[in-house]
Amino acid sequence: MRKIFIPITVLWLLASSCASTKNSKTNIADVSKYMNSITANELSDHLYIVASDAMEGRDTGTKGQKEAGKYLIEQYTKNGISFPVEAENWYQKVPSEFMAKGFAPKLPDSENIWAFIKGSEKPEEIVVISAHYDHVGMKNGEVYNGADDDGSGTVALLEIAQAFKMAQKEGHGPKRSILFLHVTGEEHGLHGSRYYSENPLFPLKNTVVDINIDMVGRRDTLHPNTNNYIYVIGSDRLSSELHTINEEMNAKYTNLELDYKYNDRNDPERIYYRSDHYNFAKKGVPAIFFFNGIHEDYHKASDTPDKIEYDALAKRAQLAFTLAWEIANRPEKIKVDRDGK
């Protein structure tokens, strides 16, 4: 075999090129890895605490809700996630007077809870991921645990935040900032999200999207044979890009059936107006609402953690994560190109 002599400089250039190619590959984030850190087991562990009898149904401003809030803060702290430096602490206080509503019973002072991961390139642009951590409390001495409503969304935020933090620790932090917003007073009139939308920590003009997660741990009567679905509501009202990106992320990562039944403008249930995303949408912030539909335990004492389908909860939380990941990391923020109607 004939010998071929290659100059040392050429060998050096080849070696450098290979090393550069290898490094560029290792610097690409493995989104599936972070997505799969959201697990059914961890969601279950959190939910059996958040929706336990000890939390007394988490009614707005009560001791039980405050205890649930302390648990959320403990989990964020354990994962090395803090409140925004723009805030004094973990709490946005929502005063009783703000939640006063007609002849309804007076509510105590309460709090939204926020956690924050700062963006690496566009920190002033904010992706909000929201869920309400209140429920309806106790009735006649019986605890209404609210495992699905909205313990499921509450613990989904914990797992999504943990996934983003894992990525950040490995050098793949989001380019835009992520605000994890646990709102209060939803059951009494979307009060906590309304308070934030009127008193935002970050300007709403810099808020790219609200991804709202409310009831994602069960199946409804319209899907008796599968839990591999999710209702998607509001995604096309203000931004056609938001709608398209969600479909793309689902096709790439989770393959859920995306059901748009409740996104119908003529929906008699008017679900679009009944959760916290709406207070962002009416201020012009693109919003998307993930929802599993109404089931027989809705607003009953029987909405307990043992009835949650944790495989479905994990998969739906994973979709929300991949959507947030894409929106947080794409070159341009999503455009508002529709009128919201």
Side-chain angles (χ1 to χ4, degrees), residues 71-105:
Y71 177 78
L72 302 179
I73 292 168
E74 287 171 4
Q75 299 313 302
Y76 284 117
T77 302
K78 184 185 297 184
N79 284 314
I81 302 170
S82 186
F83 56 84
V85 295
E86 293 82 357
E88 294 181 0
N89 53 41
W90 292 97
Y91 300 107
Q92 181 184 39
K93 294 182 179 178
V94 182
S96 173
E97 293 75 16
F98 183 85
M99 296 183 283
K101 188 177 178 182
F103 294 100

Side-chain angles (χ1 to χ4, degrees), residues 88-235:
E88 294 181 0
N89 53 41
W90 292 97
Y91 300 107
Q92 181 184 39
K93 294 182 179 178
V94 182
S96 173
E97 293 75 16
F98 183 85
M99 296 183 283
K101 188 177 178 182
F103 294 100
K106 184 178 180 180
L107 297 169
D109 293 342
S110 190
E111 306 86 21
N112 293 331
I113 293 173
W114 42 34
F116 191 71
I117 294 179
K118 186 175 181 179
S120 60
E121 294 183 15
K122 301 181 179 185
E124 74 286 353
E125 294 183 11
I126 312 297
V127 172
V128 176
I129 310 177
S130 62
H132 71 91
Y133 74 111
D134 64 304
H135 191 53
V136 299
M138 299 178 65
K139 298 179 182 180
N140 300 318
E142 192 171 21
V143 176
Y144 283 57
N145 302 86
D148 193 28
D149 186 13
D150 183 29
S152 60
T154 298
V155 300
L157 260 62
L158 293 179
E159 284 288 286
I160 292 168
Q162 179 180 270
F164 270 110
K165 190 63 180 181
M166 179 190 299
Q168 185 184 57
K169 288 177 179 177
E170 295 182 0
H172 300 296
K175 294 178 181 179
R176 293 179 176 84
S177 297
I178 314 288
L179 179 68
F180 304 94
L181 186 63
H182 298 268
V183 293
T184 188
E186 191 270 356
E187 299 287 6
H188 293 281
L190 313 184
H191 294 309
S193 57
R194 182 167 59 89
Y195 189 82
Y196 181 87
S197 72
E198 295 178 12
N199 302 274
L201 185 63
F202 303 99
L204 290 185
K205 67 179 181 180
N206 293 342
T207 301
V208 178
V209 69
D210 174 46
I211 299 170
N212 187 47
I213 310 172
D214 188 355
M215 295 180 61
V216 289
R218 297 279 297 271
R219 71 180 77 181
D220 67 358
T221 55
L222 300 178
H223 298 83
N225 299 318
T226 182
N227 61 24
N228 193 52
Y229 76 93
I230 191 69
Y231 290 109
V232 178
I233 302 166
S235 60

